[in-house]
Amino acid sequence: MTRVVLLGGGYVTLHAYATLVRRRARDVRRGDLEIVVISADHAHRFHGFTGELVAGMIDSDRVATPLAEAMPLARIIGGRALSIDTVHQSVSYRRGENPVEALTYDHLVVGTGAKEPASEVAGLEQYGRTLRGPDEIAALADHLGTVPGSPVVVAGGGIAGAELAAAIADRGHPVTLVHSGSRILGEWSDQPGLVARAEKELDRLGVRVMPGVRLTEVTPTTAVLSDGTTLTTATVVAATGQRPVYLPGLDPWRDERGRLRTGRTLAVRYGVWAAGDGARVEHPRNREPVPANALWAIKGGDHIGHAIARRLSGKTPRAFTYRGLGRAASFGYGRGISELYGVPFTGALAWLLRLVFFLRFMPSRARAAGVVSDLARFAVTPRRGRVHAVQVGTRSASRPTVSTEAA
């Protein structure tokens, strides 16, 4: 029997599984091929609709698909991978507080992704909020409902931070977006028109953008910035980039940022594959690292599934040739920016393109239909107008209190 072990419950795992099963379903059903998933989270979290969830447009159940439902032919182990032994081809893991166990593999797919570097900011782990752990996005949405109209600080001006700031502001919270760069959406610097549109959308929502400063400390009631500014706030959210989840045993194949270096087939070494936020995958055209986002993780996982299927058939895996499609961001219902093959779009069309794209890649058709239903209900509910009126009435009165101290 051949065993393929998939680490993590994210996009890489989900799409590697789907492609492998599509190619080798007979082997799986006969018991000749076993697919094992090791994940600390019991569900796959679809982060594409983070803004819609936080803004209250969709229900949290729409974006969480149980792994057993998404990968019914896999053996799911609810545990955390601890280390990898490439010599004996085994993975050590632990279920909760139970003793450490080990599992051998013939092929290993590392899709453990990355997390916010919360430990680098004093107090952030204790008093702030992050987005990449199990149920953290839903927990943030619930928390905001308990402190209506309170000031919020979002750290990080990339796509995730900008979308999150917009969604929270759309709920009636005064939001300050802190960004270390000179302008938000640095990854979109080749589309200055779309960046300008994003800035206008944030201004429309009342989001205060503070460029050129970093979050340096979080207390129960304040956010301290690198220029000495102190913001009084009820909630601090980190969208400050990411650091690959570290697994001992693969150090020889890591780059200077801790990412696993992959070859043209996405193999780290024979029998070990990687993609997603924790891997350095080179673009097939310019050999530069591809962006750390869901689309590249999806396509990477799909390619790995094909590569393993070819190995099992005695064939040589092909090179990863995906060149990209585009990117998109939402700034409220019916408002967004997007780029498709280099062509920019704004407004309702951009928002709709983003919606269709994300629905296409959701792991559950039923949950995708639920997202459409929730958004349609949100569009016509009278409550939406009343909530907006409350936002307009409270935003100016609820600005975060700012004081400047010596750095």
Side-chain angles (χ1 to χ4, degrees), residues 86 249-255 258-262 268-269 272:
T86 57
L250 297 174
D251 289 353
W253 299 279
R254 296 189 185 279
D255 69 3
R259 299 173 297 186
L260 291 174
R261 296 180 181 272
T262 64
V268 176
R269 54 160 290 158
V272 179

Side-chain angles (χ1 to χ4, degrees), residues 44-108:
H44 168 74
R45 311 284 170 177
F46 188 83
H47 286 179
F49 292 119
T50 294
E52 285 80 359
L53 173 58
V54 172
M57 298 181 192
I58 64 174
D59 187 80
S60 61
D61 289 344
R62 308 301 191 197
V63 296
T65 305
L67 297 182
E69 175 186 323
M71 296 177 282
L73 297 181
R75 176 158 66 100
I76 310 296
I77 296 177
R80 188 176 301 279
L82 301 177
S83 64
I84 297 168
D85 182 342
T86 57
V87 175
H88 298 96
Q89 295 191 196
S90 68
V91 180
S92 296
Y93 65 94
R94 174 179 281 135
R95 311 177 200 233
E97 299 301 321
N98 294 329
V100 174
E101 302 175 67
L103 185 70
T104 58
Y105 64 82
D106 295 285
H107 290 275
L108 176 70

Side-chain angles (χ1 to χ4, degrees), residues 183-206:
R183 199 174 186 187
I184 64 168
L185 300 186
E187 62 267 57
W188 290 47
S189 58
D190 58 334
Q191 290 282 356
L194 293 182
V195 174
R197 179 59 178 263
E199 291 170 338
K200 289 180 180 178
E201 291 289 354
L202 291 175
D203 184 65
R204 173 185 63 85
L205 290 163

Side-chain angles (χ1 to χ4, degrees), residues 120-132:
E120 297 179 6
V121 177
L124 182 57
E125 290 181 304
Q126 294 88 350
Y127 307 116
R129 291 181 174 271
T130 53
L131 305 173
R132 290 175 172 268

Side-chain angles (χ1 to χ4, degrees), residues 33-45:
L33 172 61
E34 182 186 30
I35 302 175
V36 182
V37 175
I38 301 176
S39 173
D41 195 347
H42 71 281
H44 168 74
R45 311 284 170 177

Side-chain angles (χ1 to χ4, degrees), residues 4-357:
V4 177
V5 177
L6 310 174
L7 302 183
Y11 299 106
V12 174
T13 288
L14 205 68
H15 289 269
Y17 163 88
T19 301
L20 187 55
V21 166
R22 192 163 57 246
R23 295 278 175 155
R24 311 290 298 192
R26 182 178 299 178
D27 292 341
V28 175
R29 291 191 171 93
R30 284 194 311 222
D32 296 332
L33 172 61
E34 182 186 30
I35 302 175
V36 182
V37 175
I38 301 176
S39 173
D41 195 347
H42 71 281
H44 168 74
R45 311 284 170 177
F46 188 83
H47 286 179
F49 292 119
T50 294
E52 285 80 359
L53 173 58
V54 172
M57 298 181 192
I58 64 174
D59 187 80
S60 61
D61 289 344
R62 308 301 191 197
V63 296
T65 305
L67 297 182
E69 175 186 323
M71 296 177 282
L73 297 181
R75 176 158 66 100
I76 310 296
I77 296 177
R80 188 176 301 279
L82 301 177
S83 64
I84 297 168
D85 182 342
T86 57
V87 175
H88 298 96
Q89 295 191 196
S90 68
V91 180
S92 296
Y93 65 94
R94 174 179 281 135
R95 311 177 200 233
E97 299 301 321
N98 294 329
V100 174
E101 302 175 67
L103 185 70
T104 58
Y105 64 82
D106 295 285
H107 290 275
L108 176 70
V109 180
V110 184
T112 45
K115 299 188 70 174
E116 301 90 343
S119 61
E120 297 179 6
V121 177
L124 182 57
E125 290 181 304
Q126 294 88 350
Y127 307 116
R129 291 181 174 271
T130 53
L131 305 173
R132 290 175 172 268
D135 286 325
E136 285 187 334
I137 296 172
L140 171 62
D142 291 342
H143 164 74
L144 292 173
T146 66
V147 287
S150 61
V152 176
V153 173
V154 176
I159 292 177
E163 282 193 316
L164 188 63
I168 295 172
D170 216 19
R171 290 186 60 146
H173 293 264
V175 178
T176 299
L177 178 61
V178 176
H179 181 49
S180 61
S182 60
R183 199 174 186 187
I184 64 168
L185 300 186
E187 62 267 57
W188 290 47
S189 58
D190 58 334
Q191 290 282 356
L194 293 182
V195 174
R197 179 59 178 263
E199 291 170 338
K200 289 180 180 178
E201 291 289 354
L202 291 175
D203 184 65
R204 173 185 63 85
L205 290 163
V207 175
R208 177 192 182 196
V209 179
M210 295 185 66
V213 292
R214 295 176 294 101
L215 180 69
T216 59
E217 184 180 358
V218 180
T219 76
T221 57
T222 64
V224 182
L225 310 183
S226 58
D227 64 353
T229 300
T230 298
L231 303 175
T232 300
T233 179
T235 309
V236 177
V237 188
T240 50
Q242 50 203 358
R243 299 289 184 274
V245 173
Y246 177 72
L247 278 176
L250 297 174
D251 289 353
W253 299 279
R254 296 189 185 279
D255 69 3
E256 68 283 354
R257 292 175 52 183
R259 299 173 297 186
L260 291 174
R261 296 180 181 272
T262 64
R264 291 178 179 265
T265 65
L266 302 191
V268 176
R269 54 160 290 158
Y270 189 87
V272 179
W273 313 80
D277 297 350
R280 180 189 172 97
V281 175
E282 294 183 349
H283 196 284
R285 184 178 64 248
N286 57 25
R287 310 318 302 173
E288 292 294 321
V290 303
N293 62 35
L295 178 58
W296 286 99
I298 287 169
K299 292 301 183 179
D302 181 60
H303 179 84
I304 289 172
H306 279 281
I308 294 176
R310 289 183 65 84
R311 282 280 189 212
L312 297 179
S313 299
K315 300 176 182 178
T316 300
R318 296 191 176 102
F320 182 61
T321 59
Y322 182 69
R323 295 176 179 270
L325 174 64
R327 50 200 169 177
S330 173
F331 296 97
Y333 190 94
R335 293 176 176 270
I337 60 173
S338 67
E339 175 237 324
L340 184 63
Y341 295 118
V343 179
F345 299 90
T346 60
L349 178 57
W351 183 85
L352 187 60
L353 286 171
R354 172 182 173 274
L355 174 63
V356 171
F357 171 80

